[in-house]
Amino acid sequence: MTLTSSPPAPAVERGRVRLKGVGKVFGSGSQAVTVLQDTDLDVRPGEFVAIVGGSGCGKSTLLTMVAGLEKPTSGTIETGGKVALMFQEATLLPWLTATQNVELALRLQGVDKAERRDRARHLLQRVRLGRYVDLRPHELSGGMRQRVALARVLAQDAAVVCMDEPLGALDALTRDQMHDLIEDVWLEARFTALFVTHNVREAVRLADRAILMGGRPGRIIHAEENTMARPRVMDSAPVAAAAAGLTQRLKDEVASHDESDYFDI
Amino acid sequence: MTLTSSPPAPAVERGRVRLKGVGKVFGSGSQAVTVLQDTDLDVRPGEFVAIVGGSGCGKSTLLTMVAGLEKPTSGTIETGGKVALMFQEATLLPWLTATQNVELALRLQGVDKAERRDRARHLLQRVRLGRYVDLRPHELSGGMRQRVALARVLAQDAAVVCMDEPLGALDALTRDQMHDLIEDVWLEARFTALFVTHNVREAVRLADRAILMGGRPGRIIHAEENTMARPRVMDSAPVAAAAAGLTQRLKDEVASHDESDYFDI
Amino acid sequence: SSGPTVDAGPVRIGYFPNITHAPGLIADAAGFFGTRLAAAKATPTTSSFNAGPDVIQALLSGSLDIAYIGPNPTVTAYVQSKGAGVRVIAGSTSGGSSLVVRAGINSAADLKGKKFATPQLGNTQDVAFRYWLSTQNLTATKDGGGDVSILPQANSAAVQAFKTGNIDGGWVPEPYWSSLVKAGGHVLVDERTLWPGGRFVTTNVIVRTEFLTKRPLAVQAFLEAHLDALDLCAADAGKARGFAASQIKKITSQTPDAGSLAAAWGNLAFTADPLAATLRQSAANADSVGLLVAKPTDDFASLWQLDPLNAVLLARGQKAVAA
Amino acid sequence: MTSPTTSISERRPLDPIDVPARPRPTRRPGRKVLAPLLAVVVLLAVWQGVVATGWRPDYLLPGPVTVLAELGHLVTLPEFWAAMARTLSRALTGFALAIVIGTAIGLATAGSALLRASIGSLITGLQTMPSVVWFPLAILLLGLGEGAIMLVVVLGAAPSIANGVLLGVDQLPPSYFRLGRVLGAQGWTLYRHIVIPGALPAYVSGLNQGWAFAWRSLMAGELLVVIPGTAALGNRLAFAQEFADAPGLMAYMLVILIIGMIADQIFSAWSRYLRRTRGLTQA
Amino acid sequence: MTSPTTSISERRPLDPIDVPARPRPTRRPGRKVLAPLLAVVVLLAVWQGVVATGWRPDYLLPGPVTVLAELGHLVTLPEFWAAMARTLSRALTGFALAIVIGTAIGLATAGSALLRASIGSLITGLQTMPSVVWFPLAILLLGLGEGAIMLVVVLGAAPSIANGVLLGVDQLPPSYFRLGRVLGAQGWTLYRHIVIPGALPAYVSGLNQGWAFAWRSLMAGELLVVIPGTAALGNRLAFAQEFADAPGLMAYMLVILIIGMIADQIFSAWSRYLRRTRGLTQA
Ligand SMILES: Nc1ncnc2c1ncn2[C@@H]1O[C@H](COP(=O)(O)OP(=O)(O)OP(=O)(O)O)[C@@H](O)[C@H]1O
Ligand SMILES: Nc1ncnc2c1ncn2[C@@H]1O[C@H](COP(=O)(O)OP(=O)(O)OP(=O)(O)O)[C@@H](O)[C@H]1O
Ligand SMILES: [Mg+2]
Ligand SMILES: [Mg+2]
């Protein structure tokens, strides 16, 4: 609790995310579960990082900590500038319409009323929900809700945008359109993106760097830069090849551990 | 309200699902939205049907009606025997542990206490959650919750099992294991499966027949029998080829409509 | 007279833990109820109440047989039951209410524009006050307006309101009269001065009519006990007061202040005479200030049923009383 | 062996699975109003039935006809309406005060672990105190007047309202708080945009309860404190009770009941509206 | 232009974002007990402060020392404990009855649109009635005695409990009902396994309120009739007031407050337990 025990945080520039020796333990005593261990990661400002890993390996926990919603049990996380997070569940406020849900993000940034509305509608159009702007969450389908949440996180205008499986509930066609959209907005705004996905080709399609995570306890097992020229085409051979490589890497990594340890038997 | 106006339902055999001219309208008057129109479908007992379609085209609505949770606005739905439904959201009861959530399904079928517990644990092991049986929903990751819900729907021992994007939140490896699991249980129990997915290859991997749905208003645009020998391998060339064919079909269908009508601009 | 000499069965008696109900308190504390009713093989149970309406409700609905009660609830019970429900079988207490005011108020004229408490709109003291004001050519409306503001409120609240200066006095019964005096008030009108002979009914004893007809022996035994208590009041005021005080303590867990109790005692008189004429007059006064619940069709002709009392009085060598 | 077969569109309305597990929004507009009236009618009929058996003399238990006649007479009297106006205006003022105070306390205790642990119990503890014991204190603090009545009304109603806020906040999914923080909402902004709207349904229920207790305390208050020149429902109720005026008492009870039911209808409509827009009404 | 930089693990505890928007489960075990005690101590200190100013004579507003001395004296008396035991046992009996009746009414109205529309308002309407007006009815129906007191207690408490059930059911996500139906739960089974556990947090809050009103009505009900020698807390309180015994009145008020706070602590602990196991405690 003394001030001297925490040295002044070194300033990191806007858009940078730096994790040093980050660990996370839920519970305490005999109930303690180590969910994340000794994780180091340095994300450059404006970098697009995809995170891939097994179910329950700690991806969401990592994003939650980057967004400042949970504190790491050990290590430090430094972030430059505002961090936005799109949750794994859409988490729309049920008393607001789709537009109002997006508008709320703008309002909390102090965007004024007239502009708010226009920007919210425009974003909803870009996630192809232009016809549904006035529906409430319970009147939307699962994939439509997810897209409202996507529109909202993009509305946040943050330096770091974390997205937790943002396109998991979308069909292939819509998903491809969302890839274009996310890439476009990212190229315009040059935010730093942390993008969790289970679709390795999606990771290759979008990311500058793919991070593979292993589970029990969660940790980074591999990172791979991706210098392919943009725009990349999801169904193209190079993307498929890179994805196959990554998938193999993930499988090898799993095989090198006791499977029963990685999978939760 | 008179009895004579509804002719006696023709008996359909256990496991059959028959939709005749089914339509669904939400709201009324000027607020009315036609979500599903004039849908005919006949599912043979024991058949595995995958449903693929754009976001918001009415897949969940269809499953909900088959499970008897909503009534069609027009047409009839006949089902033989008990219908189980795995919702698009995991919908676990937060006051019960993973085991208890699965046990509840057994309990409501009258399975006795000792057996209940064993079967629940066994199912959770099969969805690779053996180590997490005593955690509560909020302590589980998104993909883990989804697997608990999968275990629960399989525990229901129903004649017709509807699954709404049951594997959407899983990584490729775990998903492949779940494919094997679902196929195994289906082969053992010979239930009729209605399986909504956005992954066309997954549809090819699992289904006897793939149904493509179009949107605005939702309707069936194409159905394709799949007679490939089982077990099929997701990453194999024939599965990929069949999937590519289906995806093309879906895209053609979309192209033949005004895109702005299919996508919600 | 011939007939049964025993009257086995419960006899349920009610009173307030209040000095104006002293004969009841004394008869209970001194064991008179027990002894007299036991002689008739009846079993007395006593209960203490806080509000007249509850007593009436209990009596009329058959949960209570005999009660010590003020004239106002007596009239109410009689009138509301269309003369059928209850009978007065004895008197109990006379006197004990007055208008106590703060220093500086020395005449009726000084009351103008001031605020005074009464226990309850339309109750005995409230009617007395309003009637007296009318004889002084002062007005007071039912909702507290007029020349003089009458604010009905619980007696204890009135005492507190007086202490905090919120009201200027009140027309209240004992023991609150003494409390107000103790809190610095002085008596402007002693109600005894308004009545012939200085006597007016404050408490009498009522009985359920059905009980009176069906259980004459129990009523007789009760009256013996009641008269025992009255005799004790006359013979040994100190001892009687002691019994009353101990019974109040037993019920309320509060020890009444001995000084106030003695002062209050001095302002009261205990008598078996129901002072029927004063009740009639009080009802007429209520009528004249518009606060009579309803006029009895028979002018209270059958309210008093004093034959049993007179029989007992005569047997004890005392004078009979009249309705 | 024949398997059970069901045809959904053809089930008859009373097939168990079709009986909604919770009320669906009713389309017939009159029903919301008719149903409580029906309940009142049933109540009156039962009451008349009991009276008709002659179980108790009618001066103890008057029949509905007598009571309704009394009520019919009451509503022709201007004093009745004056009393009603006075009591209603007190109730509204006191309730408004209680809303402000109860909401403030509720939000403060909901937002602070220390405040909640410390004064949370104190508030509920105070709620267990009957209104009458507050009068000495109220008179001491505020004199014998409207102030004292208001104090008692606020003491009666504010805890229920605070409790509604607390329950509403406690029941909010933690994901809403997390969302709020991610969107940059803190302190009052978080409350304004996330917590308060989220807690609204429980809050409305708290308000409904608060109104009931405001009214109840007011009746007690009007029994004890009379303000010069003002008749109020509470006094009239007490007057009827003092005179064992069963028809009058019951007529006033009916008046109170009707006002209470109207208030409940308002709060219920509000609550139904909230649930409908949030998609909480479909089973 | 320097960008804002934050280092999460190094924030100081009072950094705004770290102040939990809602209380986290506290680890120090004593705090749940200490905090309310602290509140009481603060209350006593303020009170002593007011008294020390000499604003009012001490027979009107006695200081905490006097009152605590009186309380200290009271607790040495066996009659006090007898009164306490009598009142507590009445409260518990009445509360138990109110739970049964309130829960049954709550479940019935929650489960039926017709019942809800019809008697829902009636129940809240009844709640607005002060306890005293029930006395005549209670005496008429149940005679003088425990029965009448119980009726008043139940009438006071049951509506709050029924309301808690209703609110709990209304707030349940519709997805739970759908799940229940898909799992084959209907009628009572649906209630037993889904609705009741789901509504439990709001129900506990309703019980807490119900207890407060059971107690409050009991205090009024105990004034109805006293068998000499069998005093209970309610009439002791009233008589302390009658006799202008300010220290005694305040001592009894403290007793009631303490019992109310203990009850609230029990219900709060229950509610905290429920929220913890459901993952509702993390912001
Ligand atoms: N209660 C409702 N009121 C109005 N419209 C509704 C309601 N429920 C669903 N809809 C509409 O019905 C359409 C189909 O929804 P549904 O959930 O069936 O889609 P889906 O095919 O499952 O989509 P997804 O793949 O995104 O889950 C959507 O356009 C949605 O807006
Ligand atoms: N509150 C908690 N208490 C205990 N364990 C928790 C808690 N929250 C998360 N966990 C555990 O942390 C681990 C990682 O969870 P997390 O949600 O980060 O996984 P994930 O990588 O996002 O998985 P998925 O792909 O399934 O969403 C899981 O094993 C989960 O059980
Ligand atoms: Mg996750
Ligand atoms: Mg869907």
Side-chain angles (χ1 to χ4, degrees), chain A residues 100-177:
Chain A
Q100 290 167 335
N101 265 288
V102 178
E103 270 187 76
L104 181 59
L106 296 165
R107 182 165 185 175
L108 291 171
Q109 291 165 65
V111 176
D112 71 32
K113 200 160 180 170
E115 197 190 331
R116 219 147 69 197
R117 197 182 155 81
D118 287 350
R119 274 175 63 184
R121 300 240 155 178
H122 178 68
L123 273 163
L124 285 171
Q125 250 153 33
R126 289 183 79 175
V127 296
R128 317 213 72 112
L129 289 173
R131 288 177 193 255
Y132 301 98
V133 290
D134 290 327
L135 294 191
R136 289 177 199 272
H138 73 274
E139 297 167 326
L140 298 173
S141 80
M144 290 157 88
R145 267 177 243 159
Q146 201 171 35
R147 283 179 281 155
V148 176
L150 178 63
R152 182 175 60 192
V153 81
L154 295 177
Q156 272 195 265
D157 237 346
V160 180
V161 177
C162 301
M163 290 171 268
D164 199 350
E165 303 185 29
L167 312 175
L170 300 181
D171 64 286
L173 307 184
T174 313
R175 191 194 54 210
D176 287 349
Q177 295 176 318

Side-chain angles (χ1 to χ4, degrees), chain A residues 53-56 89 128-132 141 143-145 147 169-171 173 198 216 251 260 263-265, chain B residues 53-56 89 128-132 141 143-145 147 169-171 173-174 198 216 251 260 263-265:
Chain A
S55 177
E89 278 87 34
R128 317 213 72 112
L129 289 173
R131 288 177 193 255
Y132 301 98
S141 80
M144 290 157 88
R145 267 177 243 159
R147 283 179 281 155
L170 300 181
D171 64 286
L173 307 184
H198 285 310
R216 313 199 81 278
K251 285 190 179 157
S260 71
F263 291 111
D264 332 307
I265 300 174
Chain B
S55 176
E89 277 88 34
R128 316 212 75 110
L129 288 174
R131 290 177 191 254
Y132 301 98
S141 81
M144 290 157 85
R145 266 178 244 161
R147 283 179 281 154
L170 300 181
D171 62 287
L173 307 185
T174 312
H198 284 309
R216 316 198 79 288
K251 286 191 179 159
S260 71
F263 292 109
D264 331 307
I265 298 176

